[in-house]
Amino acid sequence: MRISKIRYYYPIGLFVAFFLDGSLSEKFAGSFFTNTMSIESRLFLLWIVMGVFFAKVEHPYFWAFTIGLMFDLFYTGVIGPFFMLIPLILYLTKMMYSFFTPSFIVVLLIYLIDIALLTLLFYWINVLIGFTSLSLTNFISGTLGPTLAYNLAAFVILYLPIKSLMEGSSR
Amino acid sequence: MQRFFFNKRLIIVLVTLIIGFVLVALSITVRNNRSTPPIIQQFGNDAAGLVDRVVSYPVSAVGNVGSSVGNLLNTYQENQKLKKQVDSLASEKVSNQAIKKENIALKKQLKLNKTLTDYNSVTAYVLARTPSSWQNQLIISKGSLAGVKKNEAVLSDKGLIGRVTEVNKTNSKIELISTENDSANRFATTILTSDGSVNGLITSYNSNTNRLIMGQIDSQKTMKKGDRVITSGMGGNSPQGIYVGTVTKIEKDDYGLASKVEIKPAADLTNLNIVTVAERTN
């Protein structure tokens, strides 16, 4: 049996996207984190969601748990939130995938639902553990809106390159 | 059969949730009292930090080109402004040198070897920033091998920016002073007024106006707008004399008893490339 290249490309792409999130947030902190709004870059989630639709990944849940744990260890230092949320998002995406045939608009809408859900649940956990006391209204206008807009833009730019890479290497 | 699978799935979800929340609770409780993270966690973070260097290098290279072009456009005006400052700077530098020498001589006479203002500095560059609105954290490129310790103060070239919260072998995490975390350790600060100094603590941060709030103030001396605020060195974590910012507003606190002071931070918390970790020597 021929081994497809996605076996190696998927984890590499996942980790590159993961570290790009941190680097971009640092380099463009002036525009990402202002007084009135903040943007959470989630490129690695884009990679995972695209992987559901366009790549034949062998152990998607293993990678989802790994990247979630990495996020908690390396970025926040609070183990747990992403470790739970990323596999959950992956599960929901797979459920939604079974109802649709993938097209640009369908993937976009599912990705936006995923981002909104992840941002909301992550906010809720942080309220619980006392890392923020922001009200829900301010959260929606200050974080959820800009985050959705940024990730939408990232999706539109990266959809075709990632799709062709994944489909090409899945054969 | 259907029933069995449903139960199995439910159990997996529940167990994951329970494990997740236990982990969250555990990491929150040990966050402030442990000396270093466990070895396994350190190893993972070190490996991640290593890979991060490879990824962040091209990003910062591209970013630097952008900022270089921006700088070039401002150069002429900046040059004119700086020329005016240079003359006064030279004389200030000379008098500073003289005062430093005198200070050393006086300390020798008093047999004071180490005072609150002395610190060793470890310079590091910023690897990444946590892509999250709730953790105002940076990851820097030096760890316990370079001598970084937990709870040390961190400063940029302009002033105080935060505190070390987690130390791995080759990288560490910094919580910025703009954090809204309830359990963050607070900095002890002093306002330098015209007739003495006023001590207090940085108690919170207002993210809408970008102002630090200083409370727990011990006296009613005449503070005024524009007074400088430095760290006081009390509490044992930070050295004395690190510039925090300037006073912008003074008012009574919520109960009308003590004063509440708003401080404009000196450092720009969104434009940090190189930071210095200040290690107290005494």
Side-chain angles (χ1 to χ4, degrees), chain B residues 27-131:
Chain B
S27 40
I28 291 296
T29 43
V30 298
R31 193 164 189 264
N32 280 336
N33 58 21
R34 70 189 162 184
S35 53
T36 45
I39 296 290
I40 302 168
Q41 194 173 332
Q42 272 191 26
F43 179 75
N45 281 338
D46 286 330
L50 213 63
V51 182
D52 194 21
R53 274 161 225 232
V54 180
V55 178
S56 68
Y57 186 76
V59 176
S60 61
V62 172
N64 286 342
V65 170
S67 58
S68 311
V69 173
N71 284 342
L72 207 62
L73 295 175
N74 294 330
T75 308
Y76 179 68
Q77 288 173 337
E78 212 173 52
N79 191 21
Q80 281 188 323
K81 213 170 79 183
L82 289 177
K83 262 183 189 164
K84 283 178 196 161
Q85 288 184 11
V86 164
D87 299 335
S88 62
L89 209 63
S91 64
E92 217 166 273
K93 206 174 170 185
V94 171
S95 81
N96 255 347
Q97 270 175 348
I99 290 171
K100 245 184 198 168
K101 260 185 198 160
E102 192 187 46
N103 194 4
I104 292 170
L106 290 175
K107 272 184 187 172
K108 251 183 202 162
Q109 282 193 350
L110 283 170
K111 290 187 177 123
L112 267 177
N113 291 324
K114 288 162 181 174
T115 57
L116 286 176
T117 47
D118 290 332
Y119 63 85
N120 296 330
S121 54
V122 178
T123 311
Y125 67 93
V126 181
L127 286 176
R129 183 179 170 127
T130 304

Side-chain angles (χ1 to χ4, degrees), chain A residues 61-92:
Chain A
Y61 284 101
F62 168 75
W63 289 116
F65 272 117
T66 310
I67 208 73
L69 191 65
M70 284 280 291
F71 190 98
D72 289 337
L73 286 178
F74 186 62
Y75 283 139
T76 63
V78 179
I79 308 159
F82 272 67
F83 178 68
M84 284 186 290
L85 291 177
I86 300 299
L88 177 76
I89 297 286
L90 178 64
Y91 176 69
L92 287 177

Side-chain angles (χ1 to χ4, degrees), chain A residues 23-171:
Chain A
S23 301
L24 290 176
S25 301
E26 202 273 309
K27 263 292 146 214
F28 303 105
S31 23
F32 274 32
F33 302 100
T34 64
N35 295 341
T36 48
M37 59 152 212
S38 54
I39 292 171
E40 299 181 328
S41 173
R42 294 277 177 267
L43 293 178
F44 76 94
L45 193 73
L46 175 64
W47 187 266
I48 287 179
V49 171
M50 293 292 277
V52 171
F53 292 102
F54 301 115
K56 294 191 188 79
V57 192
E58 281 176 34
H59 308 288
Y61 284 101
F62 168 75
W63 289 116
F65 272 117
T66 310
I67 208 73
L69 191 65
M70 284 280 291
F71 190 98
D72 289 337
L73 286 178
F74 186 62
Y75 283 139
T76 63
V78 179
I79 308 159
F82 272 67
F83 178 68
M84 284 186 290
L85 291 177
I86 300 299
L88 177 76
I89 297 286
L90 178 64
Y91 176 69
L92 287 177
T93 311
K94 286 201 158 192
M95 282 242 298
M96 287 190 269
Y97 176 43
S98 60
F99 297 115
F100 299 104
T101 40
S103 70
F104 180 76
I105 293 295
V106 168
V107 182
L108 179 118
L109 287 177
I110 291 179
Y111 181 58
L112 284 189
I113 293 171
D114 287 345
I115 289 285
L117 197 69
L118 181 71
T119 315
L120 186 72
L121 288 174
F122 191 51
Y123 160 75
W124 177 66
I125 290 177
N126 276 289
V127 170
L128 279 187
I129 60 179
F131 271 59
T132 180
S133 49
L134 201 69
S135 70
L136 192 65
T137 337
N138 285 338
F139 158 73
I140 288 170
S141 63
T143 300
L144 190 60
T147 301
L148 282 176
Y150 166 82
N151 285 295
L152 177 75
F155 177 87
V156 170
I157 294 166
L158 294 173
Y159 177 80
L160 278 179
I162 294 182
K163 186 184 172 212
S164 54
L165 177 77
M166 282 183 166
E167 284 184 338
S169 55
S170 282
R171 281 192 200 104

Side-chain angles (χ1 to χ4, degrees), chain B residues 138-183:
Chain B
L138 298 177
I139 293 114
I140 61 166
S141 66
K142 291 277 171 71
S144 58
L145 291 180
V148 177
K149 286 189 202 73
K150 215 177 138 126
N151 276 330
E152 282 171 353
V154 184
L155 41 152
S156 73
D157 48 356
K158 287 181 192 138
L160 183 75
I161 59 161
R163 182 178 65 88
V164 177
T165 51
E166 187 186 307
V167 184
N168 303 303
K169 286 273 180 294
T170 55
N171 58 55
S172 31
K173 289 193 183 69
I174 295 169
E175 194 168 56
L176 297 176
I177 41 175
S178 61
T179 182
E180 291 177 48
N181 181 3
D182 293 341
S183 57

